[in-house]
Amino acid sequence: MDQACSALPRARKLRSLINHPGLPMSDASYRDAIFSTPLDKVARFSFDEQVVACFPDMIRRSVPGYGQILGMLSLIAKRHLRHGAHVYDLGCSLGASGLALAGALPADAFRYTGIDLSPAMATRAKQTFLDECPDHAMQVEEADIRTYEYAPSGMIILNFTLQFLPPADRDALLKRLFDALEPGGVLILSEKTIDADERDNAWRVERYHDFKRANGYSDMEISQKRTALENVLIPDTLDALHERLSLAGFPRSMTWFQYLNFTSLIAFKEG
Ligand code: GEK
């Protein structure tokens, strides 16, 4: 196993799984220590083997509200998804959203396709679904969500993925997703956001760093990760996200969750 990750005690592993539905048991054991030693030159962040090995720990300790958003997905699906409809999870990483749905809905309730560009992520997600929910119809494709040919779908999940696309590619993708949604379909869009007001933004970023410190990250880890994500993760403002959804054709969108500079929106195909 990679040196940047170390084993979590079993009790902690179980506790974190109970608190956060949908994360793969087999991948929950390694602690994110990727930026814990000083680096001469911090490379651009990428979703490689090293990140995959400690991803569940990394995302839990770095994304405020991640577990709550996952937990709510199945409740939203129960209200909005036609029985047997198709669900896309774009930038599925290790398939946490798919697992959250499979943990709460019967096998015939939906068909799921997770898509991820990272071969390491897609391979692990496929195996996780085979291990954890073999009776559900779970498919994973290694592909670019910008060029993928979408079939009609009842629910599309974009959890913390749009932020990794070049801003110029975002509107075209959202338009294609709007077209792929069936009448009554919903898009869940979760993102890190930036505030237009500098003082508000500074406050939220500082409290976010406090959140990371409280979750065990050192100042050096926070600073090196920030450098690695520069020009890789480019956040929009919350207003810009709603504008993009409107431009894509969605007659109605709302912010249903916000925790510091992390937010989740729901967009309805019908008003
Ligand atoms: C979760 N949704 O656990 N096409 C396909 N995948 C992409 C692309 C692209 N163009 N660009 C980036 N990705 C997940 C978390 S992580 C967010 C999503 C994070 C993939 C990338 O490989 C990675 O797996 C994912 O998007 C973003 O709920 O790590 O902050």
Side-chain angles (χ1 to χ4, degrees):
M1 187 42 59
D2 204 280
Q3 286 176 335
C5 302
S6 56
L8 282 179
R10 178 151 180 81
R12 175 129 171 254
K13 174 173 160 179
L14 287 176
R15 197 169 56 238
S16 54
L17 281 162
I18 291 161
N19 290 338
H20 301 286
L23 284 164
M25 175 79 90
S26 51
D27 286 314
S29 350
Y30 294 99
R31 187 171 170 85
D32 168 25
I34 291 176
F35 296 103
S36 62
T37 46
L39 302 166
D40 291 340
K41 188 173 184 312
V42 179
R44 272 168 72 85
F45 189 81
S46 77
F47 293 95
D48 56 16
E49 288 286 355
Q50 193 188 35
V51 167
V52 167
C54 52
F55 187 74
D57 177 64
M58 171 188 288
I59 197 151
R60 275 195 204 112
R61 289 199 291 134
S62 308
V63 175
Y66 178 71
Q68 282 97 328
I69 291 172
L70 284 183
M72 199 61 206
L73 282 182
S74 55
L75 301 185
I76 293 174
K78 280 180 184 168
R79 289 286 172 194
H80 288 282
L81 203 58
R82 171 182 59 75
H83 188 81
H86 187 260
V87 176
Y88 278 115
D89 180 11
L90 311 185
C92 64
S93 297
L94 298 179
S97 299
L99 282 178
L101 293 179
L105 300 171
D108 59 352
F110 69 100
R111 291 166 294 121
Y112 168 98
T113 302
I115 303 173
D116 207 287
L117 195 53
S118 154
M121 288 289 191
T123 305
R124 288 287 274 278
K126 266 182 214 164
Q127 192 55 49
T128 299
F129 290 135
L130 288 175
D131 294 344
E132 306 281 333
C133 47
D135 298 334
H136 284 74
M138 312 298 280
Q139 199 188 333
V140 179
E141 304 217 20
E142 185 191 320
D144 191 323
I145 58 171
R146 290 170 294 181
T147 49
Y148 188 84
E149 290 295 330
Y150 295 97
S153 174
M155 181 175 184
I156 300 179
I157 302 164
L158 251 178
N159 266 355
F160 306 107
T161 301
L162 194 71
Q163 60 196 19
F164 287 103
L165 300 187
D169 294 349
R170 295 177 188 180
D171 289 341
L173 171 67
L174 292 174
K175 169 82 179 77
R176 295 184 63 229
L177 300 183
F178 176 78
D179 291 343
L181 276 175
E182 293 163 344
V186 290
L187 171 75
I188 302 293
L189 173 62
S190 308
E191 289 274 284
K192 184 175 189 180
T193 53
I194 191 167
D195 278 279
D197 181 279
E198 255 178 56
R199 277 207 326 168
D200 290 356
N201 194 57
W203 187 90
R204 244 191 265 269
V205 169
E206 283 158 16
R207 295 301 75 74
Y208 173 53
H209 291 165
D210 288 345
F211 169 94
K212 290 191 76 168
R213 277 183 209 105
N215 280 339
Y217 285 112
S218 68
D219 288 348
M220 183 178 62
E221 283 177 293
I222 293 169
S223 151
Q224 292 193 140
K225 173 89 177 267
R226 211 176 172 192
T227 306
L229 283 173
E230 246 162 51
N231 299 319
V232 175
L233 189 172
I234 303 171
D236 275 321
T237 62
L238 190 50
D239 285 349
L241 292 174
H242 283 288
E243 260 174 56
R244 287 191 192 283
L245 290 168
S246 168
L247 201 64
F250 289 96
R252 181 174 160 229
S253 65
M254 51 183 275
T255 307
W256 67 270
F257 182 88
Q258 186 160 22
Y259 188 162
L260 298 175
N261 44 353
F262 289 77
T263 191
S264 190
L265 285 65
I266 181 165
F268 303 90
K269 175 109 184 193
E270 284 165 351

